[in-house]
Amino acid sequence: MRIAIIDTSATRAAIICEGLREAGIDDLILIDTAEPLLRQIEESRPEVVLVNLENPSRDMLEDFFAMSRALARPIAMFVDQSDAETTSAAIDAGVSAYVIDGLSKQRIKPVIDLAIRRFQAFSRLQRELEEAKSALADRAAIDRAKAIVMKRRQIDEPAAYALLRGQAMRTNRRIADIAEAIITSEELMGDQP
Amino acid sequence: MSRETFRIGFLPLVDAALPILARELGYAADENVDIQLVRDMTWATVRDRLLYGHTDAAHLIAPLAIATALGRDRPPVDLAVPFVLGLNGNAVTFSTALAKEVGLETTLGDPAAIGEALRTVALARKTSRLLRFGVVHRYSSHNYMLRYWLAGVGIRPDEDVEIIVTSPPFAADALAAGEVDGICVGEPWNSVAVDRGVGHIALATAQIWRRGVEKVLAMRTAVADERRDAVLALIRALHKAAAHFVDPDAAEDCAAILARSEYLDAPKDAVLRAITDHIRIVPGGEPVHYPDFMFQYREAANFPWRSQAAWLYSQMTRWDGLSYSPGDAKAAAGVFRPDLYRAALAGSGAPLPGASSKLEGGLEGPTGAGSTQGRLMLGSDRFFDGRAFDPDDIEGYLAELP
């Protein structure tokens, strides 16, 4: 079964491809979203097109599939619409599939299920990345704030950190927020005693 | 009674105003309804979220609601349209190069004359690359308005020019990139194209059909049935928002709300021009006042006339190349639900038409219309070619069209 994948995120497209290959589906076409989509689809003649729900080209794709002469009268849908559970899961995950009419449900279902899991894996990865990024930013802010406190109060690092933590606990805020406040204040007040 | 929530899908367009204002200005809260808005970038996504229950209702192009109910291109899902979110408000914008070639003026000209000039250009292009126009979805009023006009001036939409699809927020980009020579899209995207110096507005769609049905509030029929009381409350909230929207003193505030990043994320100035019917036609030009550019609230503009749905069905049949089907015609007209509109606004003072269907395009000037509540005057609803549409004789109408 030939599957074309259109995704504005190259990373997500790669994750989906990898998953499909692991499942033994290796006739995959990655559509380059910077190039004209329709010509690429026409040339590759896929049986299924996987696209993310937010893709700005969906209206155009739908028109293309409705009009298409290259593909034998495909219909736009998420699997069989009677399978409400899979469809709803697909929407939740943000995946949309255009499946050629007549492709049996048994054949497409595993592909869609896999795409859903891959989409979810991608959003999990992205969330973790965000968290890691923000943890890094927090660390940097705390380090800067510590340096400011050490210099201003002439104390050592453990004491500066204890001060930050104490303030955070008393005011019920995150240490990183206290650190941000100290940095902001330092930027505004400069070297004034 | 506990407060009911409606998640409503929308695209960033000026005619998404009513659900946004109903939420922001408290009209929904007054009716004990909580509106949550879900923004998307393509009509396909707005429709899918509606069909699969991600949203309870949607700001939708009217023909797409009908196509979905008729099962065009996908299995059918019953939809109900109890409220029209506005009439017209779209424009046809040419690239500055095409505008020059056609000889557009700096004011809105006569649709027949512009069409005549466009035909000469379009036919001359047939030997090289066809003129290409962008519309927002194959089942959009934009597609049907543009095609109605083109066919009316002797341009065959599927042979003499090309019509492709591009989502509203990307229409100005497509024009700028030279992918299309013209676009038919809702505001503020025509004005954005003009302000960027890449477009010249050729026509307002109101010049093609003076009272053309545009966006509607669509919901699954199952939702309309199961949550009937809450749906009626939602309709009342939207109707109050519409009254506020047409108040000239409110225009500035409304534009500021709509322009916000979570809604249209567009320049406030362009939004304000659309709301006040002042349209900048050419880059750097003074905005031109075109009354009725975007029509709202007055003359029961929000009433879902079954004859409007029938007209859209006639165009769908015409351009999909399918033959007329009395069953489909009935089903299409049945998507519009004047019964719900009446039930919601009975006793409110809003004029309620006595009939649910009318001759479309038959009025030259202000005419009194039968109503069961309030006094209803209807203004001119002419098509540019002077034809009228009788919903009881769709076949005869189709036979007469070019």
Side-chain angles (χ1 to χ4, degrees):
Chain A
M1 178 180 349
R2 176 170 295 179
I3 301 176
I5 294 147
I6 307 174
D7 206 314
T8 35
S9 154
T11 318
R12 182 164 50 195
I15 289 177
I16 294 169
C17 281
E18 190 193 277
L20 289 168
R21 285 210 182 87
E22 275 169 21
I25 304 164
D26 49 15
D27 195 0
L28 305 175
I29 314 279
L30 255 182
I31 304 286
D32 182 350
T33 49
E35 296 291 317
L37 296 183
L38 303 187
R39 208 185 54 221
Q40 295 177 72
I41 295 175
E42 213 153 18
E43 281 167 6
S44 56
R45 304 176 67 91
E47 286 165 276
V48 177
V49 178
L50 284 178
V51 53
N52 67 319
L53 203 60
E54 266 76 32
N55 194 295
S57 303
R58 283 197 59 214
D59 285 338
M60 190 176 76
L61 287 172
E62 228 170 76
D63 187 52
F64 172 70
F65 292 134
M67 307 279 289
S68 177
R69 285 169 293 273
L71 309 172
R73 185 79 196 150
I75 55 168
M77 57 184 288
F78 297 85
V79 291
D80 184 322
Q81 293 198 350
S82 58
D83 185 355
E85 208 175 298
T86 307
T87 304
S88 180
I91 295 260
D92 270 330
V95 61
S96 177
Y98 291 91
V99 181
I100 290 183
D101 203 2
L103 196 63
S104 77
K105 189 174 160 185
Q106 288 73 22
R107 288 185 70 207
I108 181 63
K109 174 94 163 73
V111 174
I112 301 292
D113 284 345
L114 202 132
I116 293 169
R117 285 201 300 278
R118 288 274 139 179
F119 260 66
Q120 283 163 343
F122 176 77
S123 36
R124 200 163 48 240
L125 265 180
Q126 214 170 26
R127 208 166 45 240
E128 281 166 11
L129 188 68
E130 286 302 314
E131 282 167 6
K133 264 192 198 153
S134 103
L136 261 177
D138 284 356
R139 274 254 311 274
I142 292 169
D143 284 346
R144 267 189 73 191
K146 261 193 316 203
I148 294 167
V149 174
M150 283 161 68
K151 192 174 142 210
R152 285 296 191 89
R153 309 195 75 149
Q154 302 290 330
I155 51 178
D156 63 5
E157 193 180 329
Y161 187 74
L163 214 58
L164 289 179
R165 197 184 50 196
Q167 179 68 13
M169 284 166 69
R170 269 193 305 281
T171 56
N172 203 17
R173 286 152 74 194
R174 294 168 60 235
I175 296 183
D177 293 340
I178 302 288
E180 285 294 347
I182 288 171
I183 294 164
T184 307
S185 148
E186 176 77 0
E187 278 165 3
L188 288 176
M189 304 301 184
D191 291 333
Q192 297 298 312
Chain B
M1 199 174 79
S2 67
R3 178 166 291 190
E4 291 241 18
T5 299
F6 280 93
R7 284 168 59 84
I8 302 181
F10 76 104
L11 282 202
L13 288 161
V14 175
D15 58 20
L18 302 190
I20 295 171
L21 296 177
R23 172 188 163 82
E24 290 291 331
L25 301 173
Y27 296 114
D30 289 349
E31 293 289 343
N32 211 16
V33 167
D34 184 22
I35 292 179
Q36 292 175 8
L37 291 155
V38 181
R39 184 172 73 166
D40 274 308
M41 285 297 165
T42 65
W43 288 117
T45 313
V46 171
R47 177 207 54 209
D48 288 342
R49 286 199 205 279
L50 178 68
L51 298 191
Y52 303 116
H54 260 206
T55 53
D56 306 299
H59 160 242
L60 203 65
I61 26 179
L64 187 53
I66 293 169
T68 303
L70 294 182
R72 295 287 164 91
D73 289 350
R74 52 168 42 242
V77 177
D78 278 335
L79 291 185
V81 165
F83 191 85
V84 170
L85 292 174
L87 304 179
N88 284 318
N90 306 323
V92 179
T93 299
F94 289 176
S95 68
T96 43
L98 178 61
K100 212 169 155 195
E101 218 174 324
V102 172
L104 288 187
E105 307 282 336
T106 53
T107 54
L108 291 172
D110 170 53
I114 294 171
E116 182 64 34
L118 178 68
R119 189 164 67 101
T120 310
V121 175
L123 297 183
R125 285 287 182 88
K126 283 194 76 173
T127 48
S128 50
R129 200 203 78 174
L130 291 177
L131 278 184
R132 191 184 288 160
F133 290 92
V135 297
V136 299
H137 192 278
R138 88 197 232 97
Y139 292 121
S140 66
S141 21
H142 314 68
N143 190 20
Y144 296 144
M145 285 276 204
L146 179 68
R147 283 168 178 266
Y148 188 89
W149 174 54
L150 291 176
V153 297
I155 300 172
R156 292 165 300 174
D158 291 311
E159 288 150 62
D160 301 333
V161 295
E162 263 185 286
I163 296 179
I164 66 158
V165 168
T166 168
S167 288
F170 305 100
D173 292 337
L175 200 61
E179 284 166 25
V180 290
D181 303 293
I183 50 176
C184 181
V185 64
E187 281 295 274
W189 305 108
N190 297 286
S191 291
V192 165
V194 172
D195 290 350
R196 280 171 63 181
V198 300
H200 181 145
I201 293 178
L203 290 178
T205 49
Q207 292 177 276
I208 300 171
W209 180 14
R210 195 79 182 179
R211 291 286 182 269
V213 55
E214 191 39 52
K215 302 304 180 303
V216 296
L217 180 79
M219 57 186 69
R220 277 167 289 134
T221 305
V223 169
D225 290 342
E226 285 158 23
R227 303 177 59 188
R228 186 182 155 95
D229 287 344
V231 168
L232 300 186
L234 174 65
I235 293 169
R236 285 191 290 272
L238 293 172
H239 192 254
K240 284 181 192 162
H244 182 81
F245 184 75
V246 297
D247 176 359
D249 295 335
E252 282 273 351
D253 288 345
C254 290
I257 293 171
L258 296 179
R260 276 163 31 189
S261 59
E262 69 266 39
Y263 297 130
L264 272 54
D265 196 14
K268 182 192 152 194
D269 180 52
V271 176
L272 182 63
R273 273 181 269 149
I275 292 181
T276 56
D277 289 347
H278 282 78
I279 300 304
R280 178 172 290 140
I281 310 290
V282 281
E286 271 304 301
V288 172
H289 184 223
Y290 184 78
D292 301 356
F293 172 80
M294 186 171 184
F295 202 82
Q296 194 46 271
Y297 184 69
R298 285 183 292 267
E299 301 177 13
N302 305 109
F303 184 80
W305 293 95
R306 290 192 193 273
S307 43
Q308 292 172 336
W311 184 80
L312 292 173
Y313 169 72
S314 77
Q315 302 305 303
M316 200 174 285
T317 305
R318 182 186 187 188
W319 301 116
D320 273 356
L322 299 173
S323 51
Y324 168 78
S325 141
D328 278 359
K330 191 159 174 275
V335 171
F336 276 37
R337 294 288 299 274
D339 55 317
L340 292 173
Y341 182 96
R342 286 201 184 91
L345 296 170
S348 71
L352 292 181
S356 293
S357 209
K358 61 181 162 68
L359 190 73
E360 298 288 343
L363 300 179
E364 285 282 2
T367 311
S371 56
T372 55
Q373 172 183 298
R375 240 170 68 81
L376 180 62
M377 289 294 286
L378 297 177
S380 168
D381 66 348
R382 302 270 291 169
F383 287 92
F384 88 98
D385 59 3
R387 278 179 216 276
F389 169 73
D390 178 355
D392 293 329
D393 182 23
I394 298 178
E395 259 186 307
Y397 177 76
L398 283 171
E400 275 182 27
L401 289 174

